[in-house]
Short mmCIF file of all heavy atoms in Angstrom, two decimals:
data_model
loop_
_atom_site.label_atom_id
_atom_site.label_comp_id
_atom_site.label_asym_id
_atom_site.label_seq_id
_atom_site.Cartn_x
_atom_site.Cartn_y
_atom_site.Cartn_z
N CYS A 802 0.87 -1.18 0.00
CA CYS A 802 0.00 0.00 0.00
C CYS A 802 0.90 1.22 0.00
O CYS A 802 1.49 1.56 1.02
CB CYS A 802 -0.90 0.01 1.23
SG CYS A 802 -2.24 -1.16 1.18
N THR A 803 0.98 1.91 -1.13
CA THR A 803 1.88 3.06 -1.25
C THR A 803 1.14 4.38 -1.23
O THR A 803 1.73 5.42 -1.42
CB THR A 803 2.67 2.95 -2.56
OG1 THR A 803 1.76 2.88 -3.65
CG2 THR A 803 3.55 1.72 -2.56
N ILE A 804 -0.16 4.32 -1.03
CA ILE A 804 -0.96 5.53 -1.20
C ILE A 804 -1.61 5.94 0.11
O ILE A 804 -2.37 5.18 0.71
CB ILE A 804 -2.04 5.31 -2.27
CG1 ILE A 804 -2.80 4.03 -1.99
CG2 ILE A 804 -1.47 5.22 -3.66
CD1 ILE A 804 -4.05 3.86 -2.77
N PHE A 805 -1.30 7.11 0.52
CA PHE A 805 -1.97 7.69 1.67
C PHE A 805 -2.15 6.69 2.81
O PHE A 805 -3.26 6.33 3.17
CB PHE A 805 -3.34 8.27 1.28
CG PHE A 805 -3.23 9.51 0.47
CD1 PHE A 805 -3.92 9.62 -0.73
CD2 PHE A 805 -2.44 10.56 0.87
CE1 PHE A 805 -3.81 10.75 -1.49
CE2 PHE A 805 -2.33 11.69 0.12
CZ PHE A 805 -3.02 11.79 -1.05
N PHE A 806 -1.05 6.25 3.36
CA PHE A 806 -1.11 5.19 4.36
C PHE A 806 -2.05 5.53 5.51
O PHE A 806 -2.89 4.72 5.90
CB PHE A 806 0.30 4.92 4.87
CG PHE A 806 0.39 3.81 5.85
CD1 PHE A 806 0.20 2.50 5.43
CD2 PHE A 806 0.67 4.04 7.18
CE1 PHE A 806 0.28 1.46 6.32
CE2 PHE A 806 0.75 3.00 8.07
CZ PHE A 806 0.56 1.70 7.65
N LEU A 807 -1.94 6.73 6.02
CA LEU A 807 -2.79 7.12 7.13
C LEU A 807 -4.24 7.16 6.71
O LEU A 807 -5.13 6.67 7.42
CB LEU A 807 -2.36 8.47 7.69
CG LEU A 807 -3.19 9.01 8.88
CD1 LEU A 807 -3.14 8.01 10.03
CD2 LEU A 807 -2.66 10.36 9.32
N ALA A 808 -4.50 7.76 5.52
CA ALA A 808 -5.89 7.86 5.06
C ALA A 808 -6.50 6.50 4.84
O ALA A 808 -7.66 6.27 5.14
CB ALA A 808 -5.96 8.67 3.76
N ILE A 809 -5.71 5.56 4.36
CA ILE A 809 -6.25 4.22 4.12
C ILE A 809 -6.63 3.56 5.43
O ILE A 809 -7.65 2.89 5.53
CB ILE A 809 -5.21 3.37 3.36
CG1 ILE A 809 -5.05 3.92 1.95
CG2 ILE A 809 -5.62 1.91 3.32
CD1 ILE A 809 -4.00 3.19 1.14
N ILE A 810 -5.80 3.77 6.47
CA ILE A 810 -6.14 3.20 7.75
C ILE A 810 -7.46 3.78 8.26
O ILE A 810 -8.35 3.08 8.73
CB ILE A 810 -5.02 3.45 8.78
CG1 ILE A 810 -3.78 2.65 8.40
CG2 ILE A 810 -5.48 3.10 10.18
CD1 ILE A 810 -2.58 2.90 9.30
N LEU A 811 -7.60 5.10 8.15
CA LEU A 811 -8.83 5.75 8.59
C LEU A 811 -10.04 5.25 7.84
O LEU A 811 -11.14 5.18 8.37
CB LEU A 811 -8.71 7.26 8.42
CG LEU A 811 -7.71 7.95 9.36
CD1 LEU A 811 -7.56 9.41 8.96
CD2 LEU A 811 -8.17 7.84 10.81
N LEU A 812 -9.85 4.91 6.58
CA LEU A 812 -10.96 4.47 5.75
C LEU A 812 -11.16 2.96 5.80
O LEU A 812 -12.01 2.43 5.10
CB LEU A 812 -10.72 4.89 4.30
CG LEU A 812 -10.91 6.38 4.05
CD1 LEU A 812 -10.33 6.77 2.71
CD2 LEU A 812 -12.38 6.75 4.11
N GLY A 813 -10.38 2.28 6.61
CA GLY A 813 -10.63 0.87 6.79
C GLY A 813 -9.90 -0.03 5.83
O GLY A 813 -10.38 -1.11 5.51
N CYS A 814 -8.77 0.38 5.34
CA CYS A 814 -8.01 -0.49 4.42
C CYS A 814 -7.65 -1.78 5.15
O CYS A 814 -7.05 -1.74 6.21
CB CYS A 814 -6.75 0.22 3.94
SG CYS A 814 -5.72 -0.81 2.89
N GLN A 815 -7.99 -2.93 4.57
CA GLN A 815 -7.77 -4.21 5.21
C GLN A 815 -6.54 -4.93 4.67
O GLN A 815 -6.27 -6.05 5.04
CB GLN A 815 -9.01 -5.10 4.99
CG GLN A 815 -10.27 -4.49 5.57
CD GLN A 815 -10.18 -4.32 7.06
OE1 GLN A 815 -9.88 -5.26 7.77
NE2 GLN A 815 -10.39 -3.12 7.55
N SER A 816 -5.80 -4.30 3.75
CA SER A 816 -4.68 -5.00 3.13
C SER A 816 -3.50 -5.10 4.07
O SER A 816 -3.30 -4.27 4.95
CB SER A 816 -4.25 -4.28 1.85
OG SER A 816 -3.82 -2.99 2.16
N ASN A 817 -2.68 -6.13 3.88
CA ASN A 817 -1.42 -6.24 4.58
C ASN A 817 -0.38 -5.45 3.82
O ASN A 817 -0.49 -5.22 2.63
CB ASN A 817 -0.99 -7.71 4.66
CG ASN A 817 -1.97 -8.53 5.47
OD1 ASN A 817 -2.48 -8.06 6.47
ND2 ASN A 817 -2.24 -9.75 5.01
N ASP A 818 0.70 -5.07 4.52
CA ASP A 818 1.77 -4.38 3.84
C ASP A 818 2.36 -5.24 2.74
O ASP A 818 2.79 -4.76 1.71
CB ASP A 818 2.87 -4.01 4.83
CG ASP A 818 2.68 -2.60 5.33
OD1 ASP A 818 1.62 -2.00 5.05
OD2 ASP A 818 3.58 -2.10 6.01
N LYS A 819 2.39 -6.57 2.96
CA LYS A 819 3.06 -7.44 1.99
C LYS A 819 2.05 -8.41 1.38
O LYS A 819 1.60 -9.34 2.03
CB LYS A 819 4.18 -8.21 2.67
CG LYS A 819 5.00 -9.08 1.68
CD LYS A 819 6.15 -9.74 2.40
CE LYS A 819 6.96 -10.65 1.50
NZ LYS A 819 7.52 -9.97 0.35
N THR A 820 1.64 -8.15 0.15
CA THR A 820 0.85 -9.10 -0.63
C THR A 820 1.43 -9.07 -2.02
O THR A 820 1.07 -8.24 -2.84
CB THR A 820 -0.65 -8.70 -0.67
OG1 THR A 820 -1.12 -8.61 0.66
CG2 THR A 820 -1.44 -9.77 -1.41
N SER A 821 2.38 -9.90 -2.29
CA SER A 821 3.15 -9.80 -3.51
C SER A 821 2.50 -10.53 -4.65
O SER A 821 1.59 -11.33 -4.47
CB SER A 821 4.56 -10.36 -3.29
OG SER A 821 4.49 -11.74 -3.03
N GLN A 822 2.95 -10.26 -5.87
CA GLN A 822 2.39 -10.88 -7.04
C GLN A 822 2.76 -12.35 -7.13
O GLN A 822 2.23 -13.07 -7.96
CB GLN A 822 2.83 -10.14 -8.30
CG GLN A 822 2.20 -8.77 -8.38
CD GLN A 822 2.47 -8.10 -9.70
OE1 GLN A 822 3.22 -8.61 -10.52
NE2 GLN A 822 1.86 -6.96 -9.92
N ASP A 823 3.66 -12.84 -6.27
CA ASP A 823 3.93 -14.26 -6.27
C ASP A 823 3.22 -14.96 -5.11
O ASP A 823 3.57 -16.05 -4.72
CB ASP A 823 5.44 -14.54 -6.20
CG ASP A 823 6.11 -13.87 -5.03
OD1 ASP A 823 5.40 -13.29 -4.20
OD2 ASP A 823 7.36 -13.94 -4.96
N SER A 824 2.19 -14.30 -4.55
CA SER A 824 1.33 -14.91 -3.55
C SER A 824 -0.04 -15.13 -4.16
O SER A 824 -0.85 -14.21 -4.21
CB SER A 824 1.20 -14.00 -2.32
OG SER A 824 2.43 -13.88 -1.66
N PRO A 825 -0.33 -16.34 -4.63
CA PRO A 825 -1.56 -16.57 -5.36
C PRO A 825 -2.79 -16.75 -4.50
O PRO A 825 -3.89 -16.86 -5.03
CB PRO A 825 -1.25 -17.88 -6.13
CG PRO A 825 -0.28 -18.60 -5.25
CD PRO A 825 0.55 -17.51 -4.62
N GLU A 826 -2.66 -16.84 -3.16
CA GLU A 826 -3.82 -17.12 -2.33
C GLU A 826 -4.91 -16.09 -2.56
O GLU A 826 -4.71 -14.89 -2.45
CB GLU A 826 -3.43 -17.13 -0.85
CG GLU A 826 -2.48 -18.27 -0.45
CD GLU A 826 -1.03 -17.93 -0.72
OE1 GLU A 826 -0.78 -16.82 -1.23
OE2 GLU A 826 -0.17 -18.76 -0.43
N SER A 827 -6.12 -16.59 -2.83
CA SER A 827 -7.21 -15.68 -3.19
C SER A 827 -7.58 -14.77 -2.05
O SER A 827 -7.98 -13.62 -2.26
CB SER A 827 -8.43 -16.49 -3.64
OG SER A 827 -8.89 -17.33 -2.60
N GLU A 828 -7.46 -15.24 -0.79
CA GLU A 828 -7.89 -14.41 0.32
C GLU A 828 -7.07 -13.13 0.44
O GLU A 828 -7.53 -12.14 1.00
CB GLU A 828 -7.83 -15.21 1.63
CG GLU A 828 -6.46 -15.72 2.01
CD GLU A 828 -6.21 -17.14 1.52
OE1 GLU A 828 -6.90 -17.57 0.58
OE2 GLU A 828 -5.32 -17.80 2.07
N SER A 829 -5.85 -13.12 -0.11
CA SER A 829 -5.03 -11.92 -0.03
C SER A 829 -5.54 -10.81 -0.94
O SER A 829 -5.13 -9.67 -0.80
CB SER A 829 -3.58 -12.25 -0.38
OG SER A 829 -3.47 -12.67 -1.72
N TRP A 830 -6.44 -11.14 -1.87
CA TRP A 830 -6.98 -10.12 -2.77
C TRP A 830 -8.48 -9.94 -2.59
O TRP A 830 -9.11 -9.20 -3.33
CB TRP A 830 -6.66 -10.47 -4.23
CG TRP A 830 -5.23 -10.17 -4.53
CD1 TRP A 830 -4.17 -11.02 -4.45
CD2 TRP A 830 -4.70 -8.90 -4.90
NE1 TRP A 830 -3.01 -10.37 -4.75
CE2 TRP A 830 -3.30 -9.06 -5.04
CE3 TRP A 830 -5.26 -7.65 -5.13
CZ2 TRP A 830 -2.46 -8.01 -5.40
CZ3 TRP A 830 -4.43 -6.61 -5.50
CH2 TRP A 830 -3.04 -6.79 -5.62
N GLU A 831 -9.05 -10.59 -1.61
CA GLU A 831 -10.47 -10.40 -1.34
C GLU A 831 -10.65 -9.24 -0.38
O GLU A 831 -10.00 -9.15 0.65
CB GLU A 831 -11.08 -11.67 -0.74
CG GLU A 831 -12.58 -11.58 -0.51
CD GLU A 831 -13.19 -12.90 -0.05
OE1 GLU A 831 -12.42 -13.86 0.16
OE2 GLU A 831 -14.40 -12.97 0.11
N ASN A 832 -11.55 -8.31 -0.75
CA ASN A 832 -11.83 -7.13 0.08
C ASN A 832 -10.56 -6.38 0.45
O ASN A 832 -10.38 -5.93 1.58
CB ASN A 832 -12.59 -7.53 1.34
CG ASN A 832 -14.00 -7.99 1.04
OD1 ASN A 832 -14.44 -7.97 -0.11
ND2 ASN A 832 -14.71 -8.41 2.06
N ARG A 833 -9.69 -6.24 -0.52
CA ARG A 833 -8.45 -5.47 -0.32
C ARG A 833 -8.75 -4.01 -0.67
O ARG A 833 -8.57 -3.58 -1.79
CB ARG A 833 -7.34 -6.04 -1.20
CG ARG A 833 -5.97 -5.41 -1.00
CD ARG A 833 -4.96 -6.11 -1.90
NE ARG A 833 -3.70 -5.40 -1.96
CZ ARG A 833 -2.71 -5.52 -1.09
NH1 ARG A 833 -2.86 -6.34 -0.06
NH2 ARG A 833 -1.59 -4.85 -1.22
N PHE A 834 -9.23 -3.26 0.31
CA PHE A 834 -9.73 -1.91 0.06
C PHE A 834 -8.61 -0.95 -0.32
O PHE A 834 -7.46 -1.13 0.08
CB PHE A 834 -10.50 -1.40 1.29
CG PHE A 834 -11.64 -2.30 1.66
CD1 PHE A 834 -11.65 -3.00 2.86
CD2 PHE A 834 -12.71 -2.47 0.80
CE1 PHE A 834 -12.69 -3.84 3.20
CE2 PHE A 834 -13.76 -3.31 1.13
CZ PHE A 834 -13.76 -3.99 2.34
N PHE A 835 -8.97 0.07 -1.10
CA PHE A 835 -7.95 0.99 -1.58
C PHE A 835 -8.52 2.38 -1.79
O PHE A 835 -9.73 2.56 -1.98
CB PHE A 835 -7.32 0.49 -2.89
CG PHE A 835 -8.30 0.26 -4.02
CD1 PHE A 835 -8.71 1.31 -4.84
CD2 PHE A 835 -8.82 -1.00 -4.26
CE1 PHE A 835 -9.60 1.10 -5.88
CE2 PHE A 835 -9.72 -1.22 -5.29
CZ PHE A 835 -10.11 -0.17 -6.11
N VAL A 836 -7.64 3.37 -1.77
CA VAL A 836 -7.95 4.76 -2.09
C VAL A 836 -6.86 5.24 -3.03
O VAL A 836 -5.68 5.25 -2.66
CB VAL A 836 -8.00 5.65 -0.84
CG1 VAL A 836 -8.24 7.11 -1.24
CG2 VAL A 836 -9.07 5.18 0.13
N LEU A 837 -7.21 5.64 -4.23
CA LEU A 837 -6.25 6.14 -5.21
C LEU A 837 -6.65 7.56 -5.60
O LEU A 837 -7.59 7.77 -6.35
CB LEU A 837 -6.23 5.26 -6.46
CG LEU A 837 -5.70 3.83 -6.28
CD1 LEU A 837 -5.94 3.02 -7.55
CD2 LEU A 837 -4.23 3.83 -5.91
N ASP A 838 -5.95 8.53 -5.04
CA ASP A 838 -6.17 9.93 -5.39
C ASP A 838 -5.12 10.30 -6.44
O ASP A 838 -3.99 10.64 -6.11
CB ASP A 838 -6.05 10.82 -4.16
CG ASP A 838 -6.47 12.26 -4.44
OD1 ASP A 838 -6.55 12.63 -5.63
OD2 ASP A 838 -6.72 12.99 -3.47
N MET A 839 -5.51 10.23 -7.70
CA MET A 839 -4.56 10.39 -8.79
C MET A 839 -4.13 11.84 -9.01
O MET A 839 -3.27 12.12 -9.84
CB MET A 839 -5.16 9.84 -10.10
CG MET A 839 -5.67 8.42 -10.00
SD MET A 839 -4.41 7.22 -9.50
CE MET A 839 -3.29 7.33 -10.89
N THR A 840 -4.72 12.78 -8.27
CA THR A 840 -4.41 14.20 -8.47
C THR A 840 -3.54 14.78 -7.35
O THR A 840 -3.30 15.98 -7.33
CB THR A 840 -5.71 15.02 -8.57
OG1 THR A 840 -6.42 14.96 -7.33
CG2 THR A 840 -6.60 14.49 -9.68
N ASN A 841 -3.10 13.95 -6.43
CA ASN A 841 -2.39 14.50 -5.28
C ASN A 841 -0.90 14.71 -5.51
O ASN A 841 -0.19 15.21 -4.64
CB ASN A 841 -2.61 13.61 -4.04
CG ASN A 841 -1.95 12.25 -4.17
OD1 ASN A 841 -1.23 11.98 -5.13
ND2 ASN A 841 -2.22 11.37 -3.22
N GLY A 842 -0.40 14.29 -6.67
CA GLY A 842 1.01 14.48 -6.98
C GLY A 842 1.89 13.34 -6.53
O GLY A 842 3.05 13.25 -6.94
N ASP A 843 1.38 12.46 -5.66
CA ASP A 843 2.17 11.34 -5.16
C ASP A 843 1.71 9.99 -5.71
O ASP A 843 2.41 8.99 -5.57
CB ASP A 843 2.10 11.28 -3.62
CG ASP A 843 2.70 12.50 -2.98
OD1 ASP A 843 3.73 12.98 -3.49
OD2 ASP A 843 2.14 12.98 -1.98
N THR A 844 0.55 9.95 -6.31
CA THR A 844 -0.04 8.70 -6.80
C THR A 844 -0.06 8.72 -8.31
O THR A 844 -0.60 9.65 -8.92
CB THR A 844 -1.48 8.52 -6.25
OG1 THR A 844 -1.44 8.63 -4.82
CG2 THR A 844 -2.03 7.17 -6.64
N GLY A 845 0.51 7.70 -8.94
CA GLY A 845 0.61 7.69 -10.39
C GLY A 845 0.21 6.37 -11.01
O GLY A 845 -0.46 5.53 -10.38
N LEU A 846 0.63 6.17 -12.24
CA LEU A 846 0.24 5.00 -13.01
C LEU A 846 0.68 3.70 -12.33
O LEU A 846 -0.05 2.72 -12.35
CB LEU A 846 0.81 5.09 -14.42
CG LEU A 846 0.51 3.90 -15.35
CD1 LEU A 846 -0.98 3.65 -15.48
CD2 LEU A 846 1.13 4.15 -16.72
N LYS A 847 1.86 3.70 -11.72
CA LYS A 847 2.30 2.48 -11.06
C LYS A 847 1.36 2.10 -9.92
O LYS A 847 1.02 0.93 -9.74
CB LYS A 847 3.72 2.62 -10.53
CG LYS A 847 4.22 1.33 -9.88
CD LYS A 847 5.58 1.48 -9.24
CE LYS A 847 6.04 0.12 -8.68
NZ LYS A 847 5.06 -0.44 -7.72
#
C-alpha cells in the first residue's frame, strides 16, 4: 500500500503491507480496500 497510508487506515483499508504478485492465495486479494487519489502528486500510473 503506497498511497496515503494514514488515510487508508482511517478508511478501513484491510490490506497487509506485503501481498506480492507471487502470492496466489485468493484471500489476499479479497476485500483489499484501496484509495487512489490520482491528483495528489504522489499517486501515479504504477
Side-chain angles (χ1 to χ4, degrees):
C802 286
T803 57
I804 49 167
F805 288 129
F806 183 70
L807 180 59
I809 291 177
I810 292 176
L811 291 172
L812 287 166
C814 177
Q815 300 298 307
S816 62
N817 297 321
D818 265 9
K819 184 176 177 59
T820 303
S821 66
Q822 291 188 354
D823 55 6
S824 294
E826 294 84 359
S827 61
E828 60 266 21
S829 64
W830 284 93
E831 183 174 4
N832 292 357
R833 185 178 168 85
F834 302 115
F835 58 84
V836 176
L837 294 171
D838 189 344
M839 307 302 296
T840 65
N841 67 6
D843 297 321
T844 306
L846 179 56
K847 183 185 183 303

